[in-house]
Amino acid sequence: MALATKLEMRQGQQLVMTPQLQQAIRLLQFSNIELAQFLETELERNPLLEADDNTDAPVRAERDSESDDHIPERAATDSAADNTSDASASDTSGDDDGDWVDLERPAADPEGTFDTEYENLYPDSTRTEQMQDATATDSGWASLRQRGAGSGEDVNIEAYLQSEQSLRDHLSEQLPLALSEPVDRLIGQYLIDMVDEAGYLPADFDRIVESLGAPHAKVEQVLSRLQTFDPPGVFARSLAECLALQLKDQNRYDPIVARFLENLDLLAGHNLPALRRAVDIEMDELLEIIAEIKRLNPKPGLKFGSEYLQPVVPDVLVRAAQDGSWIVELNSETLPRVLVNRTYLTTVTKASGSAADRNYLLECLQTANWLVKSLDQRARTILRVAEEIVRQQDAFFTHGVQFLRPLNLRTVADAISMHESTVSRVTSNKYMATPRGIFEMKYFFTSAIASAEDGAESHSSEAVRHRIKQMIDGESSASVLSDDKIVELLKTDGIDIARRTVAKYREAMRIPSSVQRRRDKRLVVRVSQSEEAL
């Protein structure tokens, strides 16, 4: 076989993922917190980017429940007038401030990528409301200063501030009153630092003693003093010890109660006959002890507040309009405001003499422009997906979760001419604030359960879960519904579902079996009767 050199032409398709495209895709799946952290890094790295703290009106679009249009159109004359005013405004600002690109007021879209006009998205009502709020705030401070001036004394702003006392501070205030020795105070302060928000110490107490390097008897002695602190029950290492400390504080701790607390696992399993035999008392006395235990606080430390939890900030806001439609808008608080200042670029370019500096500035400008474009595309993509979700799930927003429709990513992607992966990234870690609460956008995508009637519309799995929970919440102690009974009731409502599916949904909602629920309800009835007798 001879070796030869020759030329060939082949035609093929290949997807090239540039770094800019990878960045744009990554921005889609960022939550608002992750996006803020990413922008902080970019602002530090790129000198041409600058954060804008000015607020503007949110991007919004009205969704008519009976219309298939994404965004309602305005009159052509209004659009032309607004475009003319925007153009003149941009020309005037460019002379003084350079080219400032605001993500909440993006540039016009000549290619029609976003299916809307600029004027439909940014009303000026929010700016007017903010100016009114600022005026009201200034008048409030003015009146406060006048009251201070009239009384002849300076206004102490700290007197109007209020902070919640933590459990650690409350326990530290009691420490000098209970312990006088410096060594005991050091041990006590260490134990205070180890207490969790519920008031408990870690179960591995021996490791704490080993970390302190003090004798075990000494630490136990200090702990016994700390367990007398307020609130009663703190510094406990188990639930039984916490309840025992509270009963000791009430002078209600005796050998019978001690045996009862040693067998709390039997009470958790609702095995009252075995618990009665272990405590060796009559059933009436046992029910009285249970009623007394129920009045105790299993987590005494929570009355002093808990750890700070980051609240969920919605990315999309949905509210009802007066005509029965739905208004879908992006939350302006989560929209990033990044500006590109070309005036600074011009100034620095004139001062830089080397080609390397100019190449660096050009690269920064290209990166900044691409980032602004990617963020603008991200905001508009989220808005389009949210609009389609509201259109598809209009019955849910109007009537409730029982009218939630089965929905998948392909349905939304086909409706807005996007790929499924794009819709999946957009709905990840994004939340929607609705009149019925805040929901993750993934919540509206549910699987379908077939109808018991031929040709009828299928049911959403989330709606079926809600129906099962309603049935169980409405049952009484005399008629507890089994899984088979729930299947029969659902079939009468036109829902064809298997028993194992009902059991799976029930376990996912952390609802015990019918046998366990029957025991719980009977115990609640008997304990309540004992409380009434007491």
Side-chain angles (χ1 to χ4, degrees):
M1 182 177 65
L3 298 177
T5 303
K6 60 180 180 179
L7 296 176
E8 291 184 355
M9 294 183 63
R10 295 182 180 179
Q11 184 178 4
Q13 293 181 349
Q14 183 180 3
L15 178 62
V16 178
M17 296 285 290
T18 62
Q20 292 83 0
L21 183 58
Q22 294 178 10
Q23 181 190 75
I25 294 176
R26 195 167 67 251
L27 289 178
L28 283 177
Q29 59 189 8
F30 277 174
S31 63
N32 48 39
I33 298 178
E34 295 172 341
L35 182 61
Q37 295 174 352
F38 172 78
L39 290 180
E40 288 181 2
T41 305
E42 291 296 323
L43 290 171
E44 295 176 358
R45 184 168 55 184
N46 195 330
L48 301 182
L49 286 175
E50 186 173 346
D52 181 24
D53 296 332
N54 295 329
T55 58
D56 204 346
V59 179
R60 69 177 58 184
E62 294 186 0
R63 162 67 59 205
D64 193 341
S65 59
E66 299 179 357
S67 175
D68 294 336
D69 297 334
H70 291 293
I71 300 175
E73 299 179 353
R74 292 186 179 179
T77 55
D78 296 340
S79 300
D82 293 340
N83 287 333
T84 303
S85 61
D86 291 341
S88 60
S90 62
D91 294 339
T92 304
S93 61
D95 298 337
D96 299 332
D97 300 333
D99 188 5
W100 297 86
V101 182
D102 192 346
L103 288 184
E104 288 195 304
R105 297 188 64 87
D109 184 20
E111 299 178 0
T113 307
F114 305 119
D115 299 336
T116 185
E117 294 294 331
Y118 171 80
E119 295 81 5
N120 293 339
L121 299 177
Y122 304 100
D124 296 329
S125 58
T126 303
R127 184 177 298 278
T128 304
E129 294 176 358
Q130 291 172 351
M131 295 177 62
Q132 294 175 355
D133 294 341
T135 305
T137 304
D138 294 340
S139 62
W141 283 110
S143 61
L144 184 61
R145 289 193 297 268
Q146 291 176 359
R147 289 197 298 268
S151 60
E153 300 178 357
D154 295 336
V155 177
N156 185 12
I157 302 300
E158 296 181 356
Y160 295 92
L161 301 179
Q162 195 176 29
S163 61
E164 185 178 3
Q165 187 182 30
S166 64
L167 176 63
R168 182 179 180 276
D169 296 337
H170 182 68
L171 296 176
S172 299
E173 292 176 355
Q174 304 175 62
L175 183 63
L177 304 177
L179 302 174
S180 58
E181 296 294 332
V183 176
D184 295 345
R185 290 186 179 181
L186 288 175
I187 297 175
Q189 189 61 50
Y190 184 83
L191 295 177
I192 290 175
D193 294 336
M194 296 298 294
V195 171
D196 61 12
E197 62 175 0
Y200 285 81
L201 283 173
D204 193 358
F205 187 71
D206 294 335
R207 181 174 296 181
I208 297 178
V209 176
E210 184 179 354
S211 301
L212 285 169
H216 194 282
K218 184 68 172 178
V219 180
E220 285 284 356
Q221 180 182 1
V222 174
L223 178 61
S224 62
R225 297 292 302 275
L226 296 179
Q227 289 179 341
T228 61
F229 282 10
D230 180 77
V234 292
F235 295 100
R237 289 159 287 186
S238 62
L239 176 61
E241 187 176 14
C242 177
L243 300 177
L245 292 174
Q246 297 182 53
L247 291 172
K248 290 178 181 178
D249 182 73
Q250 301 175 8
N251 198 20
R252 290 287 298 154
Y253 191 76
D254 53 32
I256 296 178
V257 175
R259 290 197 300 269
F260 178 88
L261 295 178
E262 291 174 357
N263 297 274
L264 275 180
D265 55 335
L266 298 177
L267 178 62
H270 299 279
N271 193 352
L272 297 185
L275 181 60
R276 186 187 64 81
R277 291 192 298 269
V279 182
D280 193 16
I281 56 176
E282 298 295 331
M283 183 60 69
D284 294 339
E285 298 180 17
L286 180 64
L287 293 177
E288 292 178 2
I289 296 177
I290 294 176
E292 186 174 3
I293 293 295
K294 284 182 61 180
R295 290 192 290 268
L296 302 178
N297 188 0
K299 296 180 179 180
L302 293 183
K303 66 171 63 176
F304 291 92
S306 58
E307 296 180 356
Y308 175 75
L309 298 178
Q310 179 68 31
V312 174
V313 180
D315 300 88
V316 181
L317 306 177
V318 179
R319 56 189 176 90
Q322 295 181 355
D323 58 353
S325 62
W326 297 102
I327 299 177
V328 183
E329 58 188 11
L330 295 178
N331 188 1
S332 60
E333 298 296 330
T334 61
L335 282 179
R337 302 178 183 91
V338 181
L339 306 176
V340 180
N341 191 354
R342 293 183 183 272
T343 302
Y344 176 75
L345 172 64
T346 304
T347 304
V348 177
T349 303
K350 292 178 180 179
S352 61
S354 62
D357 293 342
R358 288 194 294 270
N359 292 334
Y360 170 74
L361 291 175
L362 180 60
E363 181 181 355
C364 290
L365 178 62
Q366 293 175 350
T367 304
N369 288 334
W370 180 264
L371 178 60
V372 170
K373 181 180 178 181
S374 300
L375 291 174
D376 182 57
Q377 179 70 29
R378 174 185 181 271
R380 296 185 180 276
T381 305
I382 293 175
L383 181 62
R384 291 184 61 188
V385 173
E387 286 180 316
E388 184 60 26
I389 290 176
V390 172
R391 191 184 72 85
Q392 295 283 348
Q393 301 290 0
D394 178 72
F396 165 81
F397 295 100
T398 305
H399 303 289
V401 67
Q402 61 270 22
F403 291 91
L404 194 66
R405 293 178 52 194
L407 185 65
N408 53 32
L409 297 174
R410 178 178 293 275
T411 303
V412 175
D414 293 342
I416 59 178
S417 301
M418 289 185 180
H419 196 268
E420 290 183 53
S421 60
T422 303
V423 178
S424 177
R425 291 187 179 95
V426 167
T427 54
S428 298
N429 302 318
K430 310 295 189 306
Y431 292 86
M432 181 183 296
T434 70
R436 298 191 176 275
I438 298 178
F439 300 92
E440 188 178 6
M441 294 179 69
K442 289 283 189 184
Y443 172 83
F444 299 99
F445 296 91
T446 59
S447 57
I449 295 179
S451 176
E453 301 177 1
D454 296 336
E457 187 178 358
S458 57
H459 302 271
S460 170
S461 58
E462 187 65 29
V464 174
R465 287 193 189 95
H466 180 73
R467 177 62 177 153
I468 293 174
K469 189 176 185 304
Q470 282 185 329
M471 290 180 178
I472 295 177
D473 292 342
E475 64 186 8
S476 61
S477 58
S479 60
V480 177
L481 301 176
S482 63
D483 293 343
D484 293 327
K485 185 63 176 178
I486 293 176
V487 170
E488 295 178 2
L489 294 176
L490 290 176
K491 285 186 178 180
T492 58
D493 294 340
I495 302 174
D496 187 10
I497 189 172
R499 179 186 175 278
R500 61 179 179 275
T501 307
V502 172
K504 182 181 69 173
Y505 289 169
R506 177 178 52 76
E507 293 173 358
M509 293 184 290
R510 297 182 179 180
I511 298 176
S513 63
S514 58
V515 177
Q516 189 67 37
R517 297 200 308 272
R518 186 178 292 106
R519 291 178 180 175
D520 295 345
K521 293 179 183 297
R522 289 178 179 176
L523 178 61
V524 170
V525 171
R526 298 177 70 176
V527 171
S528 60
Q529 291 176 353
S530 300
E531 290 178 348
E532 293 177 358
L534 293 176

